[in-house]
Amino acid sequence: HNADALRTDLMTITRFVLNEQSKHPESRGDFSILLSHIVLGCKFVCSAVNKAGLAKLIGLAGETNIQGEEQKKLDVLSNEVFVKALISSGRTCILVSEEEEDATFVEPSKRGKYCVVFDPLDGSSNIDCGVSIGTIFGIYAVKDDHEPTIEDVLKPGNNMVAAGYCMYGSSCTLVLSTGTGVNGFTLDPSLGEFILTHPDIKIPKKGNIYSVNEGNAKNWDNPTATYVEKCKFPKDGSSPKSLRYIGSMVADVHRTLLYGGIFLYPADKKSPNGKLRVLYEVFPMSFLMEQAGGQAFTGKERALDLIPTKLHERSPIFLGSYDEVEEIKNLYAAEA
Ligand code: AHG
Ligand code: MN
Ligand code: MN
Ligand code: MN
């Protein structure tokens, strides 16, 4: 019987959110119910990921998604789990998933007031080799005075009421913000509960880690190339930064949030809008970074100000410690 189970003041994610929501007298628990279904999805995917190698869940599912990517079985399974969990919550009206070309409009009898955008399985190229992967989600509130349409979801990230990710790594960690700071919860498998382990996360103002796929260096624009050069050959005599790149956005962002530094997926000549998707990768991670005292910049503007025009639109992204992103913003401003 592990000591935790005997502790009587366990702060579970459910209790935490109920406490948060009690600060909003108008809330009737809808958000808590929605979150409990997202948490259920994360627990399910966590157990599937842990058993993937055993349950023959790895390897290609033989289909490709609209991103033209080989869909791995866990991608497909995770997407189905979250779609079903979100619809069964009765609190959603529009769902946008990386794995589905079109938005899902929930049938009226099960409709609620939230729109959830999500990347059910992030870092799928890392599934087969057992490197950390994750789920990313963002939540918009939708007025229920009209029939939901795509316009309700093509909104700036700033309109989100909550965002978070779950990382399936050496432990299963869920990081969440409902707009009043960032908190991290770790799954205690013996209880099946996410326990508050990282209260009020704040990203260090500076960091000595940079995180980018150096393999794209040939195609970078000047400000990005200049910034990365400076990380490696600092002119002010300071020591060079370390490079850490896992290739799963969730894992690279989680490390950046806790240790400080900067994560970049810049534009390049091949992909002028970079690779990461605005609604369910860039916005949720940018929301979290700002809530933790960091910044998120697209090369042109504050990431959360971007107004998407298409569901699977991509954007370059530079996010992390406040001072590091400030440097990139100055380099792009000088170039403009
Ligand atoms: P997904 O597996 O959901 O499609 O996302 C993969 C993304 C993101 O997780 C990561 O930051 C990025 O792809 C890595 O891209 P490169 O392999 O081009 O560096
Ligand atoms: Mn993908
Ligand atoms: Mn992803
Ligand atoms: Mn994905």
Side-chain angles (χ1 to χ4, degrees), residues 89-299:
S89 76
R91 297 307 186 279
T92 61
C93 56
I94 310 174
L95 307 180
V96 176
S97 166
E98 180 204 349
E99 302 303 334
E100 308 216 2
E101 175 157 10
D102 301 316
T104 300
F105 291 91
V106 181
E107 40 135 339
S109 67
K110 284 200 175 303
R111 205 173 273 174
K113 62 181 183 181
Y114 293 109
C115 160
V116 182
V117 295
F118 61 102
D119 177 357
L121 202 87
D122 173 70
S124 35
S125 64
N126 282 325
I127 294 176
D128 294 359
C129 61
V131 165
S132 297
I133 51 184
T135 296
I136 311 171
F137 59 90
I139 302 172
Y140 290 101
V142 183
K143 287 205 181 21
D144 54 4
D145 54 6
H146 63 285
E147 193 58 19
T149 70
I150 285 288
E151 299 318 310
D152 291 310
V153 81
L154 296 176
K155 300 279 187 211
N158 207 37
N159 290 29
M160 284 187 173
V161 294
Y165 60 79
C166 190
M167 186 174 76
Y168 313 108
S170 51
S171 64
C172 180
T173 306
L174 201 155
V175 172
L176 173 74
S177 173
T178 57
T180 54
V182 181
N183 291 280
F185 303 82
T186 304
L187 182 64
D188 177 336
S190 73
L191 296 176
E193 286 285 358
F194 280 98
I195 308 296
L196 180 65
T197 48
H198 297 71
D200 196 20
I201 299 175
K202 291 291 174 212
I203 182 170
K205 199 160 178 304
K206 297 175 180 312
N208 60 15
I209 296 172
Y210 76 104
S211 185
V212 68
N213 182 340
E214 289 261 14
N216 297 331
K218 188 163 66 65
N219 301 317
W220 289 337
D221 63 20
N222 285 340
T224 293
T226 305
Y227 178 76
V228 174
E229 187 67 12
K230 195 179 153 304
C231 292
K232 300 196 276 197
F233 305 97
K235 294 200 176 30
D236 58 3
S238 60
S239 52
K241 290 189 188 319
S242 292
L243 169 60
R244 292 282 184 275
Y245 193 69
I246 301 164
S248 298
M249 186 185 198
V250 169
D252 281 317
V253 166
H254 188 61
R255 183 209 51 249
T256 304
L257 190 62
L258 297 186
Y259 294 0
I262 185 154
F263 171 80
L264 316 87
Y265 207 109
D268 66 44
K269 295 192 189 79
K270 280 183 309 159
S271 7
N273 285 327
K275 170 183 184 180
L276 299 177
R277 280 57 57 108
V278 170
L279 278 180
Y280 41 79
E281 289 172 321
V282 172
F283 278 169
M285 296 315 206
S286 301
F287 186 96
L288 290 166
M289 276 298 159
E290 289 202 0
Q291 286 290 320
Q295 290 199 77
F297 178 62
T298 66

